[in-house]
Amino acid sequence: MLMQDTDIQGAFKIAENICKGMSTHTFLIKQQEVHITLSIGVIELDPMIELEHALEMVDRALYDAKFNGRNCVCPVYPS
């Protein structure tokens, strides 16, 4: 998801709200209630970092979120 005019803190808060909403929502699939979780990696794009590298970093953050128990957000702070 791309969020225009949003810094990392704002994106993190939005991502956390999405995770909370997903985890508390009940989906009905083929007449069965299903609960799902969502893991999200978040990065603020920097024009000094190549897009491909930024995508690799946020992809790693996504896997870190899954490894850390799922249903969480992991931000990336490029150095």
Side-chain angles (χ1 to χ4, degrees):
M1 175 185 315
L2 295 175
M3 296 178 213
Q4 188 174 2
D5 300 324
T6 306
D7 63 9
I8 188 86
Q9 291 84 10
F12 184 82
K13 288 178 185 176
I14 291 168
E16 280 190 319
N17 287 336
I18 292 170
C19 281
K20 288 177 187 173
M22 292 294 284
S23 68
T24 59
H25 185 80
T26 301
F27 294 88
L28 189 61
I29 300 175
K30 295 185 179 182
Q31 290 76 41
Q32 288 193 349
E33 291 185 357
V34 177
H35 297 272
I36 63 172
T37 60
L38 180 66
S39 300
I40 301 175
V42 178
I43 191 170
E44 184 173 354
L45 293 179
D46 180 339
M48 300 304 291
I49 298 175
E50 290 187 34
L51 180 60
E52 187 66 31
H53 184 59
L55 292 174
E56 289 171 2
M57 289 188 293
V58 76
D59 189 51
R60 273 195 304 267
L62 167 63
Y63 284 98
D64 288 345
K66 289 181 179 185
F67 181 77
N68 290 329
R70 301 180 184 243
N71 202 41
C72 64
V73 181
C74 284
V76 175
Y77 299 100
S79 46

